[in-house]
Amino acid sequence: MWGRAIVAAAALTACKAVVEPPLVPPGEASLDRVLEFPNPNHAKQSATIITERLRKLGAADYSATARDREVKVNVQGFDPSATPFLNRVISMRGRITFHQVVGDSDLLEQAWSRLSPEDRDRVILRGSTLSASARQPLVDALQKVEVSGHRLVLKPPYRGEAGFEALLVITDPELDNTALHEVRRARTGAIELVFTDDGKEAFARLTKSLHGQQLAVVADAQIWTAPMLQEPL
């Protein structure tokens, strides 16, 4: 029996926390892509993630369908000028990774000092919704910062939070897509992660070992959720 992730439903609604204007202006253009993945599970997970990306971008008519090891993506009704941006968004492979969040103030200060003043200001701008078009360069800048096996990852605000922040995580993931059987949208609109049997056991061990610490679930180089682990899940 496949194990359902408890990190999931309520917490992963975080990806819906920031309401942004459409980034894909309407028009007459269309786009068809076929992406190939190592295995059917990865293809199914990526189809869900690509669909979520396109929804958040405000695309008017879109689909991402997995079949065997392929994902067929179709987007219609957008301005031709958005084609390069859409190709980039679709080409991101939808890898999900789980990282331990580190609170070491010295390492965080070193990482923080490697950001430009402009990027530091954008991260700590409280009350900002920071549109996705402005967010991507910041995500790219954070990815280039690595200190002693740690890196910065952008965390968008969840409901009730003031603004964006950058969390320091251990670069090497504790778990990745191989632990997952499926990524899907629940009826509530939240994203659910369903683990394989082995993945469920590995996740339980991980959350037990990180009791009292923070675990970041990262997709597309941004944090979906970063719960404080009060008990094994």
Side-chain angles (χ1 to χ4, degrees), residues 122-188:
R122 282 191 289 173
V123 172
I124 63 175
L125 183 60
R126 295 305 180 189
S128 170
T129 56
L130 194 63
S131 70
S133 56
R135 187 190 309 178
Q136 191 58 51
L138 179 56
V139 171
D140 294 342
L142 291 175
Q143 283 189 284
K144 296 175 184 177
V145 175
E146 184 156 348
V147 178
S148 302
H150 299 75
R151 66 185 176 97
L152 292 169
V153 187
L154 187 70
K155 184 176 83 64
Y158 301 166
R159 286 184 175 88
E161 293 185 340
F164 288 77
E165 63 178 315
L167 297 184
L168 187 70
V169 304
I170 295 177
T171 301
D172 292 336
E174 307 290 341
L175 290 175
D176 60 18
N177 285 67
T178 58
L180 298 173
H181 168 62
E182 187 178 4
V183 179
R184 66 192 182 199
R185 178 172 290 283
R187 291 181 180 178
T188 60

Side-chain angles (χ1 to χ4, degrees), residues 15-17 49-59 62 185 189:
C15 61
K16 300 175 62 180
I49 293 170
I50 291 169
T51 299
E52 176 67 11
R53 289 184 200 139
L54 294 172
R55 182 193 68 78
K56 291 177 69 178
L57 291 175
Y62 57 89
R185 178 172 290 283

Side-chain angles (χ1 to χ4, degrees), residues 98-113:
F98 299 77
H99 300 258
Q100 180 180 348
V101 177
V102 177
D104 187 299
S105 58
D106 289 337
L107 284 175
L108 186 57
E109 185 175 349
Q110 289 181 52
W112 194 250
S113 68

Side-chain angles (χ1 to χ4, degrees), residues 25-29 78-84:
E28 301 298 324
F78 61 90
D79 188 276
S81 64
T83 301

Side-chain angles (χ1 to χ4, degrees), residues 73-86:
V73 183
N74 174 264
V75 187
Q76 301 201 26
F78 61 90
D79 188 276
S81 64
T83 301
F85 177 64
L86 280 170

